[in-house]
Amino acid sequence: MNTTIDKKEIDFFSNLSQEWWNLDGPFASLHKFTDARVQFILRNVRRINNKTDASPLSGLTCLDIGCGGGILAERLSRLGGKVTGIDLSQKAINVAKYHSFKSGLKIKYECSSVSNYLTKKTNKFDLIIASEVIEHVINRRLFLSEMSKLGNLGTLVVITTINKTFASKFFAKFVAEYLLNLIPKGTHDTEKFVSPDKLIKEGGQYGIIFDDLAGFVPEINLKNIRDKQIDKFSLSTNSSINYGIAGLKTN
């Protein structure tokens, strides 16, 4: 299949577009998750940028693939990155543009697939991120190939996604969607979950050498269960459910 687009997935998230910046809404856990996502990104950015001040991404061109309403893109921009965000949902892009304008941030947003973006743009990026995206595409290898083409030699590629284990199917699907209502029902198709080993192998086929892996673990207590919310995610060696994987483009 020569496309990565799953129209049902795009329609699903488009219908939730007005909720992106509702801190008590369907994306509340994603906002909390973003601290850990940024922590993982920054620990890898040190490989390509040695700045340690309040703007560790200063001087880096960053691409946020599947940016949605701009939750992660805005954090990257505040850390000094020159950020571009692309997403297939025009409604989400409109939300992202409006919120970044209100926030006084200069972020380039475009409603585009990676395939279409490749045909129109010649610029390459220093940092490419696909966070909570690859489990929604229908042709993962094509997606990785296209990500690779958007980078130069030495570009840092970061992916966060869901492992393909019994634990991930139980917690990321059943518990998160149906028991605790942490994310909207129907968000994930467990058949699209992918293991780190598989991503390492597939990424290597397109010159992306993934060599850093971390799990994202929610801190859950009785209050969280009662209130059906998560206050914090932490980096962990346990990657059996959510994980981040990162590496450099080598050719």
Side-chain angles (χ1 to χ4, degrees):
M1 187 173 292
N2 60 354
T3 181
T4 65
I5 301 167
D6 189 328
K7 188 176 184 303
K8 290 188 294 183
E9 299 269 11
I10 304 308
D11 291 343
F12 178 85
F13 286 101
S14 290
N15 292 333
L16 292 168
S17 288
Q18 296 307 313
E19 299 288 349
W20 279 105
W21 291 96
N22 178 1
L23 299 183
D24 298 315
F27 295 111
S29 61
L30 187 60
H31 281 272
K32 301 289 177 61
F33 184 34
T34 297
D35 287 341
R37 293 194 287 173
V38 170
Q39 186 180 351
F40 180 69
I41 291 167
L42 290 182
R43 93 176 190 187
N44 279 280
V45 160
R46 296 189 188 103
R47 304 197 231 180
I48 61 172
N49 208 22
N50 59 6
K51 296 185 178 180
T52 57
D53 58 12
S55 302
L57 300 184
S58 178
L60 298 182
T61 54
C62 311
L63 177 64
D64 182 9
I65 298 174
C67 63
I71 295 172
L72 181 58
E74 290 203 8
R75 292 287 297 273
L76 300 175
S77 179
R78 292 183 189 279
L79 290 168
K82 184 179 180 182
V83 182
T84 298
I86 62 173
D87 198 282
L88 276 164
S89 168
Q90 183 65 62
K91 290 181 180 179
I93 288 294
N94 291 343
V95 170
K97 285 181 177 179
Y98 178 66
H99 198 272
S100 65
F101 172 77
K102 287 200 307 177
S103 302
L105 299 172
K106 294 183 178 179
I107 302 173
K108 294 180 181 179
Y109 286 114
E110 185 172 330
C111 182
S112 175
S113 66
V114 181
S115 300
N116 288 339
Y117 193 79
L118 269 171
T119 64
K120 295 183 290 184
K121 308 293 181 181
T122 57
N123 55 305
K124 307 286 186 175
F125 293 90
D126 303 311
L127 170 61
I128 301 173
I129 301 168
S131 186
E132 310 310 296
V133 171
I134 206 163
E135 69 270 25
H136 299 289
V137 304
I138 57 176
N139 189 330
R140 194 172 56 247
R141 286 183 175 83
L142 177 60
F143 184 80
L144 289 166
S145 171
E146 292 174 338
M147 285 184 73
S148 180
K149 291 174 184 176
L150 286 166
N152 292 304
L153 183 67
T155 287
L156 176 64
V157 179
V158 179
I159 292 174
T160 73
T161 188
I162 302 174
N163 207 335
K164 193 161 189 173
T165 62
F166 174 79
S168 69
K169 292 177 182 180
F170 180 72
F171 287 105
K173 181 67 179 180
F174 175 71
V175 174
E177 293 186 23
Y178 294 95
L179 187 60
L180 297 182
N181 298 318
L182 295 173
I183 54 178
K185 293 179 176 64
T187 297
H188 294 121
D189 175 357
T190 59
E191 291 304 310
K192 293 180 181 177
F193 291 176
V194 57
S195 70
D197 287 345
K198 183 161 282 190
L199 271 186
I200 289 169
K201 180 179 179 181
E202 293 175 352
Q205 295 172 358
Y206 305 105
I208 304 170
I209 307 304
F210 290 118
D211 57 5
D212 188 27
L213 173 68
F216 300 111
V217 177
E219 297 186 8
I220 298 178
N221 53 42
L222 291 176
K223 181 179 181 297
N224 297 142
I225 295 173
R226 183 194 67 202
D227 297 341
K228 295 187 176 182
Q229 64 179 12
I230 293 175
D231 294 327
K232 184 179 180 181
F233 288 81
S234 299
L235 292 188
S236 168
T237 56
N238 181 358
S239 59
S240 62
I241 302 176
N242 297 88
Y243 69 93
I245 195 166
L248 300 178
K249 177 176 162 61
T250 59
N251 59 42

